[in-house]
Amino acid sequence: MIKILEERKEQVFNKGKDSFEISCDKKSASGSVSQRACVFCGSRVVLYPIADALHIVHGPVGCAVYTWDIRGALSSGPELHRLSFSTDLTEIDIIHGAEKKLYESLIGLIDYYKPNACFVYSTCIIGVIGDDVEAVCKKVSNEKFIPVIPVHSEGFKGTKKDGYKAACEALFKLIGTGSANDVGKFSINILGDFNIAGEIWVIKEYYKRMGIEVVSAMTGDGRVNEIKKAHGAKLNVVQCSGSMTTLAKMMKEKYGIPFIRVSYFGIDDMANALYDVAKFFGDANILENTKKLVKEEILKIMPEINFYKEKLQGKKAAIYVGGAFKAISLIKALRLLGMETVVVGTQTGNKDDYNDIKDIALEGTIIVDDTNPLELSKFIKEKDVSLLIGGVKERPIAYKLGIGFCDHNHERKEALAGFIGMLNFAKEVYGTVLSPVWEFIPRK
Amino acid sequence: MLLRHTPKEIKEREALVVNPAKTCQPIGAMYAALGIHGCLPHSHGSQGCCSYHRSTLTRHYKEPIMAGTSSFTEGASVFGGQANLLEAIHNIFTIYNPDVIAVHTTCLSETIGDDIHQIANKAREEGKIPKGKFVIHASTPSYVGSHVTGFANMTKGMVEYFAEKNGTKLNQLNIIPGFVEPSDMREIKRIANAMGVKIVMFPDTSGVVDTPQTGKFNMFPKGGVTINELKSTGNSFATIALGQLASGPAAKLLDSKFKIQCEIHSLPIGLTATDRFIDSLRKLGGVSVPDSISDERGRLIDAIADMHQYLYGKKVALVGDPDQLVSLTEFLVTLDMKPVHIVTGTPGQKFESRIKEIVKDKVPNVNVKASGDMFLLHQWIKNEKVDLIMGNTYCKYIARDEDIPYIRFGFPIMDRIGHSYFPTVGYMGSLRLVEKILDALMDRKDRDSKEESFELVM
């Protein structure tokens, strides 16, 4: 039996037993081995996939190193985003400031790489030494005639969610700076897909078959010039609600573009996403195309899905992911495979998200905000779980406990979005849950 | 288009690092602290630092890496992080109950000027540190040195906080293994044991970041140097420090504080560096080298002799940490190979002259740089092709772009396993390196040979 920190008691909820509101949006208790990251991390993961922009990290070298090409956000063209640029601040810079260093770095890099825009990420130290990053960016932008956008991502200024917000604000500065004259009437922006393992290519293909024009993708396989004209789109389709809803709201206010929230994960949610978009435009052709597409795609994958379902029936799963929207999709997708989720947690879910999770979860399910390895492993053991879905730091914990693991974060190697993604997911879950290696593990 | 971003023409850069060949101090401090049994490393800074270090170490070791964070907020950055650290110390001992909390600082907490020593004292006064438990610390500003410096500082912190002298000399030798893998630490212990020298080694991450599967998740695995062992280092008869940069400071402190004679050697990677280590063990320990170790040496030389025709004159590009590179360069020269481009990201004046001294007339025009980066290494390779690249995972871009054989060596390695289990120190570790070098070169030869010259026997 492990103890749960007093401060965290209201962040752990047992459905059917407890009746309080889950406490969330809380900063992590100091000393907790939290799995969360910082503001900088939030901004960096959101903007990183814009492949023709230069991303420079202003600070000591570490922050640039730890975010160097760790996110499998694929690009169909330029790959400038996969390089690591740092102003590598040293002691003397901390004392005298590093505006000049930043300026010179930017000028040199722009001259050489000719990027379509620059993002300048502020790290913790910049917030303390007081470099006027905004002024440097403005100056460089005026001299080089490209957008040079400061990202206010000092690590300590909140949680990862605040980093998403800072990234949204940076994107918002780009939007509206290009001409949207050529954008048609059945047009959307994809928000909140980062093209991990090529997922946005799958989704874009669906939209194309429906007759929908994708103006920009933010930010998977992203390009500066597409984002500049994103204000021309007629609808924003928001996935990964945690990171991109802010931007959708800002665009609604300024440009009057409505938005809908979708998930591309799992058969039901994927189909609903496409239908919701089709219904929004209300065009008979599009609706017809969508029906045809959904039918075809589902027919294609169902026989195999049923094979996996038979094998996985009755197994239990635990989910610990960043956003809550994803968690809900995962619960549904696992159900499709005959699996029940008995532990579900997120790093950054809000009250509404947790209420949604409570609604869909079975009695006895443990719902947890901002958990740590000790709690997580306890719940997994208690609930006899055979699969954990999480990110890089959770993987080895699952393996130590002798259960299967599926990365639903940066390190997924197969596309999990779309109908084909559901099949990939089923294969992956099957491969890991029923791996013979678990037979060699001393149990309980 | 794949990563073809590096121009051949080299321009002087002052302001900027492209594709770094180092990272920041705190991760080294975290790794060193993991080498104490029952220790929870603690990052005094924003939440992201801790998360990044744990993720990077997890990718390198494929193990759960535990560490706490002070979770700085805007308030902490203005008023100081004392309240956060006090709360953290209380929470950690209440919930996780480690024997030691090893606090390292970050750029943020250093700049706002938190005095960890004073805060730890306050925690003790307030009864937040249970009896028999410890809070130690190392100052590790991210804007000074590199991850190697952080490792050195935390290792030195172990001496500062724990080492005691009680007047009775113990028949034991201190060994500080340097910023090496758990496999290497295990091997150093094996060698000392075979030599019949009783040692205490710190830090010791074997059994911590290479734990066996038991079906359980242990927050504090069974490995690591114990607090009693650390305390006893003040009574040892001598210290061997392996790696000038990573181990030197702790060894020197033991010397100045307790008058414990210290010998600082390069990491025992390669024939001659291992010879010096073994010789040092022999002399300090007053033992003779057993046949088992002499035989290992003999087998290494035999393998080199058998295959020297494939090694002769091959050009190599190296990138990594200074302690590793000094030894590796020396070994490559022993193998009659030519280390022509050598880069470390870690700053330091002595590195370049040390390398030049090692390669001397073998590679008179060697390109060597401290405070360099991968971008520079790539440019050098474009200007003078090599037969082999040795370095961490990030070298894979260069190796692919230039189509050059490549051996993963150093930190971090995020795309292969092996480093946790198989050492590169000692004669056996060196033999493993020879095997890896030959595999890489000969696989390439097989791949590129025309059918008529594609040979069965090599």
Side-chain angles (χ1 to χ4, degrees):
Chain A
M1 186 63 197
I2 61 137
K3 296 181 202 167
I4 289 169
L5 277 175
E6 199 54 42
E7 295 94 312
R8 288 193 32 75
K9 288 228 159 107
E10 303 229 310
Q11 285 170 279
V12 180
F13 180 92
N14 192 326
K15 182 172 172 181
K17 218 172 106 197
D18 299 329
S19 56
F20 54 82
E21 281 263 312
I22 296 176
S23 171
C24 51
D25 282 328
K26 232 172 108 160
K27 87 169 192 72
S28 303
S30 292
S32 176
V33 182
S34 167
Q35 307 291 78
R36 275 184 182 167
C38 63
V39 179
F40 168 72
C41 179
S43 295
R44 191 81 170 96
V45 295
V46 168
L47 296 174
Y48 168 77
I50 304 172
D52 59 344
L54 186 106
H55 302 263
I56 182 164
V57 182
H58 189 34
V61 77
C63 297
V65 175
Y66 305 122
T67 53
W68 178 10
D69 205 19
I70 55 157
R71 203 172 195 210
L74 309 188
S75 166
S76 54
E79 301 205 274
L80 192 51
H81 67 308
R82 298 185 66 181
L83 275 73
S84 178
F85 303 106
S86 166
T87 47
D88 187 23
L89 300 193
T90 56
E91 200 148 21
I92 203 80
D93 303 317
I94 306 301
I95 299 165
H96 297 309
E99 289 172 18
K100 187 164 168 269
K101 206 170 187 183
L102 176 62
Y103 171 79
E104 281 170 3
S105 300
L106 280 168
I107 296 289
L109 287 170
I110 293 167
D111 284 346
Y112 177 65
Y113 289 109
K114 310 215 167 7
N116 291 328
C118 295
F119 292 100
V120 181
Y121 301 82
S122 288
T123 58
C124 286
I125 201 85
I126 304 306
V128 179
I129 65 173
D131 274 3
D132 191 346
V133 175
E134 192 102 38
V136 175
C137 288
K138 207 166 187 178
K139 188 168 175 219
V140 175
S141 187
N142 286 338
E143 285 174 28
K144 294 292 168 190
F145 309 106
I146 59 162
V148 180
I149 300 169
V151 186
H152 300 289
S153 52
E154 290 89 344
F156 60 86
K157 286 191 169 165
T159 64
K160 196 169 172 181
K161 257 195 217 172
D162 298 287
Y164 297 152
K165 197 164 156 257
C168 286
E169 279 158 6
L171 285 169
F172 195 61
K173 284 186 185 159
L174 266 186
I175 294 167
T177 59
S179 162
N181 289 341
D182 59 343
V183 175
K185 62 176 179 173
F186 300 130
S187 56
I188 61 167
N189 297 311
I190 299 177
L191 271 64
D193 188 292
F194 304 102
N195 203 31
I196 313 294
E199 293 184 336
I200 215 161
W201 298 330
V202 174
I203 304 302
K204 277 186 170 171
E205 172 68 22
Y206 293 159
Y207 284 130
K208 194 174 160 197
R209 280 159 67 186
M210 286 162 63
I212 303 278
E213 172 190 356
V214 176
V215 182
S216 76
M218 289 184 267
T219 55
D221 199 9
R223 298 292 180 276
V224 172
N225 286 334
E226 290 171 10
I227 296 169
K228 279 180 170 176
K229 61 177 188 178
H231 58 292
K234 303 298 176 282
L235 176 68
N236 279 331
V237 185
V238 188
Q239 213 211 193
C240 190
S241 54
S243 63
M244 283 298 200
T245 309
T246 314
L247 182 66
K249 284 181 180 161
M250 290 161 91
M251 289 176 75
K252 187 175 176 191
E253 193 172 314
K254 182 160 178 187
Y255 302 108
I257 305 172
F259 68 90
I260 54 170
R261 283 167 58 155
V262 301
S263 163
Y264 298 124
F265 189 72
I267 290 179
D268 287 350
D269 284 358
M270 183 65 238
N272 285 339
L274 300 182
Y275 282 129
D276 286 351
V277 172
K279 277 181 213 146
F280 173 85
F281 289 109
D283 177 84
N285 256 336
I286 292 179
L287 206 57
E288 201 45 49
N289 293 343
T290 309
K291 279 184 190 154
K292 196 166 153 252
L293 183 157
V294 171
K295 195 175 165 194
E296 274 175 21
E297 293 295 321
I298 292 181
L299 278 176
K300 236 190 273 178
I301 60 171
M302 269 335 269
E304 261 191 273
I305 295 265
N306 285 333
F307 166 83
Y308 294 118
K309 182 178 180 173
E310 206 173 291
K311 309 282 179 190
L312 292 166
Q313 191 75 41
K315 304 266 185 210
K316 292 176 191 159
I319 297 172
Y320 188 67
V321 288
F325 218 62
K326 194 195 276 178
I328 292 169
S329 280
L330 280 168
I331 295 172
K332 290 195 242 174
L334 286 165
R335 251 175 219 166
L336 190 74
L337 297 177
M339 294 178 70
E340 262 319 320
T341 304
V342 290
V343 180
V344 49
T346 82
Q347 291 178 32
T348 57
N350 63 29
K351 279 215 159 61
D352 293 343
D353 296 332
Y354 281 116
N355 284 332
D356 290 345
I357 292 179
K358 275 189 208 170
D359 287 343
I360 181 175
L362 283 190
E363 290 286 300
T365 299
I366 291 171
I367 303 169
V368 57
D369 181 61
D370 183 24
T371 192
N372 59 60
L374 218 51
E375 283 178 16
L376 200 59
S377 59
K378 170 190 174 262
F379 300 142
I380 287 172
K381 292 220 123 170
E382 265 178 24
K383 293 285 179 185
D384 192 27
V385 164
S386 357
L387 171 74
L388 173 64
I389 299 182
V392 55
K393 293 193 293 293
E394 288 83 30
R395 180 191 292 270
I397 296 170
Y399 293 163
K400 284 294 178 222
L401 294 170
I403 64 169
F405 180 83
C406 170
D407 192 306
H408 212 283
N409 206 331
H410 313 318
E411 288 181 14
R412 75 187 76 155
K413 301 296 174 204
E414 295 281 347
L416 300 179
F419 298 102
I420 186 70
M422 183 64 211
L423 183 57
N424 290 338
F425 178 67
K427 274 186 204 166
E428 199 175 326
V429 170
Y430 170 77
T432 185
V433 168
L434 295 171
S435 165
V437 69
W438 312 132
E439 289 166 23
F440 298 101
I441 282 157
R443 285 235 180 222
K444 272 122 227 167
Chain B
M1 196 58 214
L2 185 94
L3 305 173
R4 298 269 156 93
H5 283 297
T6 309
K8 191 173 172 185
E9 186 204 343
I10 299 169
K11 272 204 271 181
E12 200 54 46
R13 277 176 293 138
E14 291 232 335
L16 170 72
V17 165
V18 182
N19 299 346
K22 65 168 177 186
T23 183
C24 62
Q25 281 208 51
I27 196 171
M30 186 181 282
Y31 178 59
L34 287 166
I36 303 175
H37 177 73
C39 175
L40 189 73
H42 182 85
S43 164
H44 187 51
S46 298
Q47 219 164 21
C49 307
C50 187
S51 177
Y52 282 140
H53 304 147
R54 289 176 58 210
S55 293
T56 303
L57 289 168
T58 294
R59 290 187 177 105
H60 182 80
Y61 289 111
K62 316 273 181 231
E63 287 283 307
I65 301 294
M66 294 299 116
T69 163
S70 290
S71 302
F72 268 36
T73 55
E74 196 117 41
S77 77
V78 178
F79 302 114
Q82 171 167 306
N84 294 59
L85 187 52
L86 288 174
E87 188 195 341
I89 289 171
H90 172 74
N91 281 340
I92 288 170
F93 281 123
T94 309
I95 301 298
Y96 307 116
N97 197 26
D99 298 333
V100 189
I101 299 174
V103 182
H104 61 260
T105 54
T106 57
C107 47
L108 181 56
S109 55
E110 281 290 330
T111 309
I112 61 179
D114 279 348
D115 180 346
I116 307 299
H117 209 91
Q118 175 263 323
I119 300 173
N121 282 341
K122 195 170 160 59
R124 181 148 321 261
E125 280 161 25
E126 291 178 2
K128 290 189 163 72
I129 306 174
K131 212 168 174 313
K133 305 272 178 175
F134 301 89
V135 174
I136 68 169
H137 101 280
S139 178
T140 53
S142 321
Y143 43 78
V144 176
S146 75
H147 55 294
V148 185
T149 326
F151 182 94
N153 284 338
M154 183 53 83
T155 306
K156 188 175 156 210
M158 294 174 197
V159 174
E160 252 161 24
Y161 277 87
F162 288 119
E164 313 172 329
K165 191 171 194 167
N166 62 12
T168 10
K169 274 264 180 262
L170 292 173
N171 181 28
Q172 75 177 14
L173 173 76
N174 299 324
I175 295 187
I176 310 175
F179 197 151
V180 294
E181 303 296 351
S183 53
D184 296 319
M185 299 189 187
R186 210 180 279 287
E187 178 69 358
I188 289 166
K189 288 193 283 189
R190 185 190 68 88
I191 291 170
N193 189 37
M195 298 275 292
V197 180
K198 187 171 179 297
I199 64 160
V200 51
M201 185 173 73
F202 70 96
D204 180 5
T205 59
S206 65
V208 181
V209 294
D210 60 348
T211 62
Q213 222 297 341
T214 58
K216 291 196 191 81
F217 164 63
N218 282 327
M219 196 150 169
F220 304 108
K222 61 183 174 188
V225 64
T226 65
I227 291 165
N228 283 337
E229 286 171 330
L230 278 172
K231 284 183 175 173
S232 75
T233 56
N235 297 313
S236 299
F237 63 80
T239 303
I240 295 180
L242 300 172
Q244 182 86 35
L245 218 57
S247 304
K252 283 181 197 151
L253 183 63
L254 278 163
D255 188 359
S256 62
K257 217 171 161 182
F258 304 110
K259 299 278 168 294
I260 297 175
Q261 168 197 5
C262 78
E263 289 192 4
I264 301 175
H265 294 292
S266 30
L267 287 172
I269 295 168
L271 178 67
T272 41
T274 304
D275 282 348
R276 290 194 296 273
F277 171 55
I278 297 289
D279 204 42
S280 181
L281 270 177
R282 178 181 68 80
K283 284 185 188 145
L284 290 170
V287 294
S288 49
V289 179
D291 288 351
S292 64
I293 297 287
S294 302
D295 287 350
E296 285 174 16
R297 182 176 194 274
R299 281 195 289 272
L300 171 62
I301 298 172
D302 193 61
I304 299 170
D306 288 343
M307 304 307 276
H308 71 278
Q309 57 171 320
Y310 296 100
L311 299 167
Y312 157 71
K314 290 284 186 288
K315 288 182 182 173
V316 192
L318 304 176
V319 57
D321 301 335
D323 290 343
Q324 271 79 357
L325 291 179
V326 163
S327 299
L328 190 59
T329 302
E330 187 182 346
F331 189 36
L332 292 175
V333 170
T334 304
L335 295 175
D336 211 9
M337 299 174 79
K338 284 190 168 174
V340 290
H341 310 308
I342 304 169
V343 167
T344 183
T346 299
Q349 294 300 319
K350 285 186 196 150
F351 176 73
E352 295 176 15
S353 53
R354 182 84 187 87
I355 292 289
K356 282 181 184 154
E357 203 181 291
I358 293 168
V359 298
K360 274 186 273 188
D361 50 340
K362 277 272 187 179
V363 193
N365 299 320
V366 64
N367 285 316
V368 55
K369 180 119 174 66
S371 299
D373 55 23
M374 297 272 184
F375 187 84
L376 175 68
L377 184 76
H378 196 170
Q379 290 185 307
W380 277 346
I381 292 172
K382 279 187 183 296
N383 285 284
E384 184 183 353
K385 279 266 173 196
V386 293
D387 302 293
L388 181 67
I389 297 170
M390 296 177 81
N392 68 23
T393 284
Y394 292 108
C395 290
K396 76 192 285 182
Y397 304 120
I398 305 174
R400 180 178 167 118
D401 194 7
E402 303 297 329
D403 193 23
I404 294 172
Y406 152 49
I407 295 170
R408 283 162 185 80
F409 178 83
F411 177 85
I413 295 172
M414 305 185 284
D415 59 341
R416 295 290 189 276
I417 63 159
H419 45 279
S420 294
Y421 312 111
F422 308 109
T424 56
V425 300
Y427 299 123
M428 294 310 288
S430 306
L431 188 53
R432 175 167 174 253
L433 276 177
V434 172
E435 184 201 15
K436 279 192 165 244
I437 291 169
L438 286 166
D439 276 350
L441 295 174
M442 295 165 98
D443 279 351
R444 180 58 54 113
K445 195 172 160 64
D446 280 342
R447 191 196 83 175
D448 291 350
S449 294
K450 287 189 190 132
E451 202 168 291
E452 60 272 25
S453 52
F454 176 67
E455 290 185 276
L456 178 69
V457 182
M458 293 166 94

